[in-house]
Amino acid sequence: MTTKTFTVPTIHCGHCTMTIERELKDLPGVREVKATLDSRSVTVAWEPPASWEKIEALLTEIGYAPA
Ligand SMILES: [Cu+2]
């Protein structure tokens, strides 16, 4: 299991955090997601077949590119 915390500058409200959590949880291999509005940060825990490249690509596609 790999865990990473990163900043997403485009998080601006609770809907953003909900969208990020929902979309990432749909990615096979993602085990835990926590998006935090105050710090505009996201913590993700995953294992294969998920990868940081896939997580980054998905977030970028939906408008929440990691900083
Ligand atoms: Cu929002």
Side-chain angles (χ1 to χ4, degrees), residues 10-17 19 37 64:
T10 51
I11 291 177
H12 58 76
C13 73
H15 287 114
C16 295
T17 58
T19 301
L37 176 58
Y64 297 111

Side-chain angles (χ1 to χ4, degrees), residues 3 6-7 11 21 23 25 35 44-45 58 65:
T3 303
F6 50 94
T7 302
I11 291 177
E21 290 181 355
E23 294 285 333
K25 279 174 184 164
V44 188
L58 172 63

Side-chain angles (χ1 to χ4, degrees), residues 4-59:
K4 189 174 169 87
T5 299
F6 50 94
T7 302
V8 175
T10 51
I11 291 177
H12 58 76
C13 73
H15 287 114
C16 295
T17 58
M18 280 165 45
T19 301
I20 288 168
E21 290 181 355
R22 189 184 63 232
E23 294 285 333
L24 283 179
K25 279 174 184 164
D26 279 351
L27 196 63
V30 170
R31 296 292 171 237
E32 280 177 58
V33 186
K34 182 65 192 152
T36 305
L37 176 58
D38 287 349
S39 54
R40 293 181 174 176
S41 66
V42 180
T43 300
V44 188
W46 74 90
E47 54 195 17
S51 65
W52 172 244
E53 287 70 25
K54 287 179 185 173
I55 290 165
E56 196 175 26
L58 172 63
L59 287 173

